[in-house]
Amino acid sequence: MTRDPDRVVELLWHEGGREPRPGLSLARIVCAGIELADAEGLEGLSMRKVADRLGFTTMSLYRHVPGRDQLVDLMRDAVLGEQPLTGPQEGGWRARLEACARAAWDLRRRHPWLAEVRGTRHVPGPNAVALYEYMLSTVAGTGLRPAEMIAVVGLVGRFIDAEALVLVETSREERHSGVSEEEWWGARDSLYERLDRYPTLSYLWEAGGYDQPEDSFEFGLRRVLDGIEVLIKERDEKRDETCRVCGTVLEGAPSGRPRRYCSRACQQRAYRKRATP
């Protein structure tokens, strides 16, 4: 069924109204969809399975939601409402953004399928917008330019989803095969016997690098936040620059290069002054 963005907006931002059939509601359908996706991933989600779970016919669901795609949008916004929109009062932007990232990670561990909702044209609901607003607020007042604030939040979000996709893929493989990740890799002796020809890999193996590997989420989150911190420090160092001619406080240039003059006129006056013997 063709996705109708305006219809999705109406469903996501629904503020009440009469349900067309007693005993079956949009909220119940969304809840059943979430339970199904939690158990089987998005690949296991279908309108028929949701209807079976609720004890209704598939056609009865279409009186509430046009199709599977719209249901996924509703499910996504519902679970995003579980994430708290508060953070530590101390520690500055980094502590707030880190707490937000960890809460998002915990949410995806409970609902790994969130990371499977891909694409650039998913209409956000009220919970998604509220969460996005909160994430943006964690880096407000840092000296980052507006476009950089948006880029920072996007970077953190994509990192979290990338890590969550690993959980999704691992869970899918274990569901299909009935074999855990550890058991599967532990049985690959025929591969390990051929790896001694690779010196760096062999060294890391013998040194125990694979015995207690770094937690990929923790390692990655620290590195991402470190990079953002470097950028914020650069912006902070440039924030108090003033025009060398009139002393006006300068705003950051779009290119990121430091500005020396507030206007073309001041720049020309400076040139004339240097040219005067």
Side-chain angles (χ1 to χ4, degrees), residues 69-127:
D69 289 344
Q70 292 81 3
L71 176 57
V72 170
D73 287 335
L74 291 163
M75 291 161 49
R76 176 177 180 268
D77 199 64
V79 298
L80 288 178
E82 299 175 15
Q83 184 167 335
L85 301 181
T86 57
Q89 299 302 310
E90 299 179 356
W93 70 268
R94 178 160 182 157
R96 293 192 297 272
L97 184 56
E98 181 177 352
C100 190
R102 291 187 184 284
W105 176 240
D106 289 341
L107 185 67
R108 281 154 181 78
R109 294 182 70 178
R110 296 195 301 273
H111 308 289
W113 55 269
L114 266 178
E116 293 184 274
V117 184
R118 315 299 292 170
T120 60
R121 296 190 179 183
H122 287 277
V123 176
N127 291 324

Side-chain angles (χ1 to χ4, degrees), residues 144-271:
L144 293 176
R145 295 193 292 271
E148 290 173 336
M149 292 173 59
I150 295 169
V152 160
V153 169
L155 173 64
V156 173
R158 286 189 296 273
F159 162 72
I160 296 168
D161 278 339
E163 287 295 310
L165 277 175
V166 177
L167 300 181
V168 171
E169 292 160 1
T170 300
S171 178
R172 182 188 298 127
E173 292 291 349
E174 291 180 344
R175 254 193 333 267
H176 289 173
S177 68
V179 178
S180 72
E181 193 81 349
E182 292 76 12
E183 291 172 334
W184 193 89
W185 281 107
R188 302 281 75 80
D189 289 341
S190 60
L191 169 65
Y192 304 140
E193 291 171 357
R194 294 169 167 79
L195 298 183
D196 58 357
R197 70 192 71 175
Y198 303 97
T200 307
L201 183 59
S202 297
Y203 161 73
L204 295 174
W205 183 276
E206 293 168 0
Y210 292 94
D211 295 339
Q212 293 182 325
E214 289 275 353
D215 182 300
S216 62
F217 174 77
E218 293 293 335
F219 181 84
L221 180 61
R222 288 195 299 270
R223 301 294 79 79
V224 169
L225 293 175
D226 287 347
I228 295 170
E229 187 167 3
V230 169
L231 177 62
I232 288 177
K233 285 181 178 178
E234 290 178 355
R235 293 292 172 265
D236 191 56
E237 290 171 356
K238 297 175 181 177
R239 202 184 325 191
D240 296 330
E241 291 180 343
T242 59
C243 176
R244 297 186 177 186
V245 173
C246 67
T248 300
V249 176
L250 302 176
E251 297 181 359
S255 66
R257 298 177 62 185
R259 297 178 60 189
R260 293 182 173 84
Y261 309 103
C262 67
S263 66
R264 183 74 173 173
C266 280
Q267 184 181 41
Q268 290 173 347
R269 282 198 294 269
Y271 288 165

